[in-house]
Amino acid sequence: MNKQDLPWHSRFDLLGVTFLLFLAASLGALPSIQGSGRDLDYWGNLSHFVARFFPPDWSIFERTMYGLLETIQIALVSTLLAVILSFLISLGASRNVAPGWVLWPTRMLLNIIRTIPSLLWALLAVVIVGSNSLAGVIALTLYSVGYLAKFFSETFESTDLSSQNALKSLRASPLQAFQYGLWPNARPIIWSHCLWMLEYNVRSASIIGYVGAGGIGLHLKLYAESADSWNKFSLVLLCILVIVTVLDFAGEKIRKSIRDKLEGTPK
Amino acid sequence: MPPPLLETQNLGLCLSGRWLFRNLTLSIPPSSFVAISGPSGVGKTSLIRILARELSATEGSINSCLHHGQHTSMIFQDLQLANGASSLTNALGGCLARHSSLRTLWGFPVHEKAKAMEWLTKFGLENKARQWASTLSRGERQRLAICRSMLSSPTLLLADEPVASLDSDWANRTLDILKYSQKERGGSLVCSLHDEGQVQQFADFALRLDWESPTQWTWEKISRSDG
């Protein structure tokens, strides 16, 4: 069949159609973007504001490091808790493990958890346990469970089941077949997700302090609200940038090596 | 004549309206190597899967004559290894049935590990024991799958093209090891082979399936001067 024989609409696949829709919708949304109506000197404001960021004030470096440390601790603890909870919940959300009456309520619950942004979880937690790092841990744990449990259940659903079945045919018990057949195939992917979540939580933990849930965000809030502290604010931002970049870089390296190893490049 | 390990009565399999084989009546004698041969698509894999009770036959019956404590293991054509686990752990999968889930929760008994290493060494994988199965070559994966099945000490070993992706040197060594390991414990080996040379060299009996006619299968005793 040559090109002319194809019906006209066969040129539009899902990708093409959704791209056109996206383009049309974005252009259609342009008129809704309006300025304040006042006659402002945008560039002047920006340069004036940014200029006050420099040079960063290094005198607060040590204090900032303590704040960052607390941020990372919140991220670590909440990721660990979320991994444990997510593992259990994900079994209930996996089509190939759980029966239907467990599956749908669990998935619905996860959808609800994911609907609430981390900052809102932080606000809720601060209201309940007060303004401290425990609030941060609670907030990020709940927030992460929404994502991790979904990732885990998708991993269990997409994992190659053949080695589990092979072990069953060698008369292994269901638990043994899961532990030595399914789990080794799922583990590297699950570990990648955990690393990603940890990175993400360090980023989230930097901002939730803004509403009082511990960590470096509190410093950001203080400097942003006090007069002439933008050079301190910029130092905090700089430190967060360094940490996040390092984590991003390390996480990407580790995930790539896990992926390569699992996909198997014969040596 | 000693009692057989497995018998079939008028076994037949019909897939998508086509009979692959019919009226297949066999008995697998102990301490023997039975080769199943025939062209591609003739039903070798299906027959082995039926003998392993992974697939049900359309007609006929299978009668297992294994005693208590004896069992069957199968080597799959698509290997079915756990990619994210080391070669050693994959091989140890064969010993799971001998231990409770509780015993294997935190690792394997030392003597099982030693036995698994013995098998890996026999199949030239001793230096790859700590590597993930995903990083092995196709031939190495095939040998690893064989190690796993051998560690389960089956009385009847069913193997679907166990040497298909091995070079001729390893293919011959593998068939040799499988044959003598099975005979040593009075067990048998049933495997599909597509190389007639291998059938002549190793098998005691050859079951040949026929593409044209499902009932025209033949059972031949292969006589060799070495006995």
Side-chain angles (χ1 to χ4, degrees):
Chain A
M1 201 194 255
N2 65 42
K3 217 169 177 179
Q4 277 78 31
D5 298 334
L6 292 166
W8 64 272
H9 53 79
S10 69
R11 291 158 143 243
F12 296 97
D13 54 2
L14 189 64
L15 187 73
V17 169
T18 47
F19 179 70
L20 283 179
L21 279 175
F22 164 73
L23 207 61
S26 327
L27 291 176
L30 272 180
S32 72
I33 300 169
Q34 288 167 349
S36 64
R38 288 189 291 159
D39 185 21
L40 293 175
D41 176 9
Y42 292 160
W43 285 114
N45 284 347
L46 183 67
S47 57
H48 185 63
F49 181 67
V50 169
R52 285 199 280 171
F53 272 40
F54 294 99
D57 182 354
W58 289 89
S59 65
I60 55 152
F61 182 71
E62 201 172 322
R63 211 186 318 160
T64 308
M65 282 295 118
Y66 280 113
L68 270 179
L69 182 67
E70 195 189 15
T71 302
I72 292 172
Q73 285 168 332
I74 292 173
L76 282 169
V77 174
S78 54
T79 308
L80 178 68
L81 291 176
V83 167
I84 295 166
L85 285 174
S86 302
F87 182 79
L88 299 174
I89 296 177
S90 69
L91 293 175
S94 306
R95 206 181 294 277
N96 51 355
V97 179
W101 59 271
V102 178
L103 190 71
W104 295 111
T106 315
R107 289 189 170 187
M108 201 61 222
L109 177 74
L110 291 177
N111 279 336
I112 293 168
I113 294 178
R114 275 202 305 279
T115 312
I116 302 174
S118 56
L119 211 53
L120 197 55
W121 280 120
L123 270 174
L124 277 173
V126 167
V127 167
I128 297 166
V129 301
S131 176
N132 50 40
S133 50
L134 176 65
V137 169
I138 292 174
L140 290 185
T141 301
L142 286 170
Y143 180 73
S144 313
V145 162
Y147 284 91
L148 275 187
K150 183 180 162 68
F151 290 157
F152 288 4
S153 66
E154 279 174 3
T155 306
F156 286 133
E157 282 177 5
S158 64
T159 301
D160 180 16
L161 296 175
S162 66
S163 61
Q164 187 184 17
N165 293 333
L167 291 183
K168 277 186 192 155
S169 91
L170 287 166
R171 298 170 306 121
S173 73
L175 177 64
Q176 288 172 328
F178 176 84
Q179 187 184 356
Y180 292 104
L182 185 86
W183 178 242
N185 288 340
R187 189 185 52 188
I189 303 164
I190 285 191
W191 182 231
S192 296
H193 288 320
C194 295
L195 280 178
W196 179 85
M197 203 69 230
L198 181 64
E199 275 173 58
Y200 192 98
N201 277 343
V202 170
R203 256 170 286 184
S204 302
S206 318
I207 194 62
I208 54 168
Y210 219 97
V211 296
I216 196 82
L218 183 65
H219 301 219
L220 280 178
K221 183 181 158 79
L222 289 177
Y223 298 136
E225 285 173 356
S226 58
D228 276 335
S229 292
W230 291 109
N231 52 350
K232 296 192 171 88
F233 188 87
S234 69
L235 181 84
V236 176
L237 280 186
L238 193 68
C239 292
I240 295 176
L241 179 73
V242 170
I243 291 285
V244 168
T245 309
V246 167
L247 269 175
D248 214 50
F249 184 74
E252 184 53 37
K253 280 263 177 217
I254 295 170
R255 279 197 303 271
K256 186 176 171 349
S257 83
I258 291 175
R259 214 165 40 230
D260 287 352
K261 208 173 161 193
L262 191 65
E263 277 163 13
T265 37
K267 287 179 195 95
Chain B
M1 192 170 154
L5 299 179
L6 190 79
E7 287 176 322
T8 70
Q9 282 291 327
N10 297 320
L11 213 56
L13 179 69
C14 182
L15 283 183
S16 333
R18 196 175 89 83
W19 284 97
L20 292 172
F21 45 82
R22 288 194 89 162
N23 297 333
L24 194 62
T25 300
L26 310 167
S27 64
I28 310 288
S31 297
S32 63
F33 182 156
V34 178
I36 302 176
S37 73
S40 236
V42 78
K44 302 193 289 284
T45 297
S46 302
L47 176 57
I48 288 199
R49 284 169 57 92
I50 289 174
L51 296 180
R53 320 247 173 177
E54 296 262 321
L55 189 71
S56 352
T58 314
E59 58 179 27
S61 64
I62 307 174
N63 182 21
S64 167
C65 318
L66 296 178
H67 302 296
H68 181 72
Q70 297 184 319
H71 63 270
T72 306
S73 281
M74 165 137 186
I75 299 171
F76 300 89
Q77 198 168 19
D78 52 354
L79 308 182
Q80 311 193 343
L81 297 169
N83 286 325
S86 69
S87 305
L88 182 62
T89 307
N90 265 289
L92 282 164
C95 80
L96 286 172
R98 287 196 285 272
H99 304 281
S100 70
S101 306
L102 206 59
R103 176 62 193 88
T104 58
L105 200 57
W106 304 114
F108 292 92
V110 177
H111 71 276
E112 295 287 11
K113 280 189 189 167
K115 223 191 284 180
M117 275 311 291
E118 261 173 50
W119 280 110
L120 290 175
T121 308
K122 267 187 202 173
F123 284 96
L125 295 169
E126 68 276 19
N127 295 325
K128 313 248 171 175
R130 298 277 157 208
Q131 258 176 253
W132 276 10
S134 62
T135 65
L136 303 182
S137 72
R138 170 80 198 167
E140 288 165 341
R141 290 168 62 80
Q142 176 116 55
R143 282 179 267 147
L144 178 55
I146 294 171
C147 289
R148 180 175 65 184
S149 294
M150 291 314 287
L151 194 65
S152 72
S153 312
T155 307
L156 179 60
L157 178 64
L158 302 167
D160 190 8
E161 298 277 6
V163 296
S165 45
L166 301 181
D167 60 47
S168 64
D169 187 33
W170 265 115
N172 288 342
R173 268 169 85 176
T174 300
L175 289 174
D176 201 50
I177 296 171
L178 290 182
K179 178 174 176 174
Y180 288 101
S181 312
Q182 284 306 92
K183 289 199 171 180
E184 221 172 26
R185 58 170 162 259
S188 289
L189 168 65
V190 177
C191 80
S192 54
L193 291 175
H194 62 262
D195 184 321
E196 189 53 35
Q198 288 166 349
V199 177
Q200 293 299 331
Q201 193 182 342
F202 293 99
D204 302 315
F205 301 96
L207 170 68
R208 294 180 213 281
L209 299 178
D210 191 275
W211 174 261
E212 297 295 330
S213 157
T215 52
Q216 291 300 306
W217 51 270
T218 59
W219 175 266
E220 177 197 346
K221 183 164 171 36
I222 297 184
S223 39
R224 226 171 287 115
S225 51
D226 63 39

